[in-house]
Amino acid sequence: MTEGQVQYVRQPTPAFPSISRRLGESGKVVVGIYFSADGFAKRVVLQQSSGFDRLDKAALDAAITAQVTPIRRPGANAETMYLLAAPFNFVLN
């Protein structure tokens, strides 16, 4: 993922819940990740649900571990937060 000059340093990789696999749950989750200017995920919010709580939680849990390259914008300071959308597709094979 890149947005401008922002790139993942640590890409979030959600684990597909085994019970979701057994139950045939699949779908797309979109998570909003708030990053600090130094590139660390500080907060995550569900922007689009898959319709399955387990998949949504797996995406949120993975997203909070993300790290991107430091974000440099005019007027930003240590308290500035940046929101990036991260889609996760849970697909059964």
Side-chain angles (χ1 to χ4, degrees), residues 34-88:
Y34 286 88
F35 289 97
S36 62
D38 60 0
F40 291 94
K42 295 298 183 184
R43 186 166 65 102
V44 294
V45 295
L46 186 64
Q47 291 185 324
Q48 177 186 323
S49 173
S50 66
F52 299 101
D53 291 340
R54 281 179 287 273
L55 298 182
D56 295 348
K57 182 176 180 338
L60 290 166
D61 289 348
I64 197 66
T65 69
Q67 182 182 357
V68 296
T69 55
I71 303 167
R72 306 284 184 237
R73 299 282 194 275
N77 60 40
E79 302 300 315
T80 304
M81 300 282 269
Y82 298 93
L83 174 64
L84 299 176
F88 298 94

Side-chain angles (χ1 to χ4, degrees), residues 12-48:
T13 307
F16 202 131
S18 58
I19 191 164
S20 292
R21 282 188 188 278
R22 284 193 303 275
L23 295 173
E25 298 174 349
S26 63
K28 179 180 180 178
V29 181
V30 179
V31 176
I33 309 173
Y34 286 88
F35 289 97
S36 62
D38 60 0
F40 291 94
K42 295 298 183 184
R43 186 166 65 102
V44 294
V45 295
L46 186 64
Q47 291 185 324
Q48 177 186 323

